[in-house]
Amino acid sequence: MTLIMGIVNVTPDSFSDGGRYLDADAAIAHGLALHAAGAAVLDVGGESTRPGAPPVDPAVEQQRVLPVVTALAAAGAVVSIDTMHAATAVAAVAAGARIVNDVSGGLADPEMLPAVSASGAEVVLQHWRGPSTEMYARADYADLAAEVTGELEGRVRAAAAAGISPDRVILDPGIGFGKRGAQNWQALRALERVVALGPRVLVGTSRKRFLAELLTDASAAAGSGAADASAAAPVDTARLDLATAVTSVLAAQAGVWAVRVHDVGATRDALAVARAWSGGAG
């Protein structure tokens, strides 16, 4: 059964909910609500990875996330720490996190893989081609499916060389990272190839730009007098969450281990419908 990872952004500038949960008490309450709604894992992050986001000092990042990680782990939740910094990963695991979610796949900080190896935590290795300020400059592929799969396979080998066995590794194709518009759909269509690598696979499409672009185009096409997509109204969060839930179901059908989302309830319900349809429930 595909699990749900709920997003807890303890940041002032994340693309969807930046600032709403910067206060530790608000972030803890939000995390507990996501857990009650069906999130099997809570992914706590203190640094935005939206395109163009500036880096955050690890000391600031830890000040934001450690109280939240500590409280959520103490409440019985499985906590993941979303960080590219080895020092933050080590501190968060000591505070109760069980998974390190590194969007750089261990490339941003050379100490990350050795640190995770020593900690005993599991690790998410995402496909990554550079920091937020440069990600789109490197979004050129001759064969996206083959290159993403091959680069992820390389990260599995790097983890093994650091002493992290494949059963502790979770792969993420990096939807929205180093991929423009339609390239994200190509990556999603290649999910079964990523799953075939062996480690568990995590997919995060939640509220991302490529979904907003799709829905904006759909609105413009359906409207009268809209000359192009830019003439359509901005896509609201409810529509993005519905689109996210659909992609989550399709990812589950491709065999992924978990989906990372903002709206846990919508995705929980969509996955339940898909299981009932396939004969797994109901």
Side-chain angles (χ1 to χ4, degrees):
M1 184 174 74
T2 299
L3 304 179
I4 300 173
M5 177 182 282
I7 299 169
V8 183
N9 286 324
V10 195
T11 61
D13 58 347
S14 290
F15 74 93
S16 176
D17 56 4
R20 291 185 64 187
Y21 308 113
L22 183 58
D23 174 76
D25 288 340
I28 293 164
H30 181 57
L32 293 174
L34 294 179
H35 185 54
V41 182
L42 299 176
D43 193 41
V44 179
E47 178 177 9
S48 174
T49 52
R50 63 179 172 79
V56 172
D57 185 274
V60 173
E61 181 186 37
Q62 290 168 40
Q63 185 179 32
R64 292 173 179 175
V65 301
L66 292 182
V68 180
V69 171
T70 300
L72 294 177
V78 175
V79 177
S80 168
I81 179 65
D82 181 354
T83 184
M84 293 184 286
H85 304 290
T88 300
V90 169
V93 171
R98 291 163 54 180
I99 302 170
V100 175
N101 181 9
D102 183 354
V103 299
S104 81
L107 291 167
D109 186 341
E111 298 302 318
M112 179 62 87
L113 294 181
V116 171
S117 179
S119 75
E122 298 178 330
V123 63
V124 178
L125 300 175
Q126 184 187 275
H127 180 257
W128 190 76
R129 283 194 165 183
S132 297
T133 53
E134 303 173 18
M135 66 168 71
Y136 292 136
R138 304 183 187 187
D140 294 318
Y141 302 86
D143 183 335
L144 185 141
E147 291 174 52
V148 168
T149 303
E151 290 167 30
L152 285 173
E153 196 169 20
R155 301 321 299 154
V156 176
R157 291 194 297 269
I164 305 171
S165 58
D167 63 301
R168 289 171 58 193
V169 171
I170 301 158
L171 298 177
D172 184 334
I175 303 303
F177 288 80
K179 299 168 188 68
R180 304 185 192 97
Q183 292 173 331
N184 294 290
W185 296 109
Q186 294 174 37
L188 289 170
R189 287 193 290 270
L191 275 179
E192 291 181 353
R193 294 178 62 170
V194 178
V195 171
L197 293 176
R200 292 162 291 168
V201 176
L202 171 69
V203 170
T205 63
S206 190
R207 300 179 183 173
K208 289 191 174 177
R209 179 180 297 180
F210 80 108
L211 292 179
E213 290 171 349
L214 173 72
L215 300 182
T216 299
D217 287 346
S219 295
S224 59
D228 54 36
S230 63
V235 179
D236 64 37
T237 299
R239 291 183 67 201
L240 288 172
D241 286 337
L242 176 58
T244 298
V246 173
T247 59
S248 296
V249 166
L250 295 171
Q253 292 174 344
V256 307
W257 166 74
V259 290
R260 181 179 181 274
V261 302
H262 295 85
D263 187 337
V264 169
T267 296
R268 175 202 63 210
D269 292 347
L271 291 173
V273 169
R275 285 194 300 270
W277 184 286
S278 64

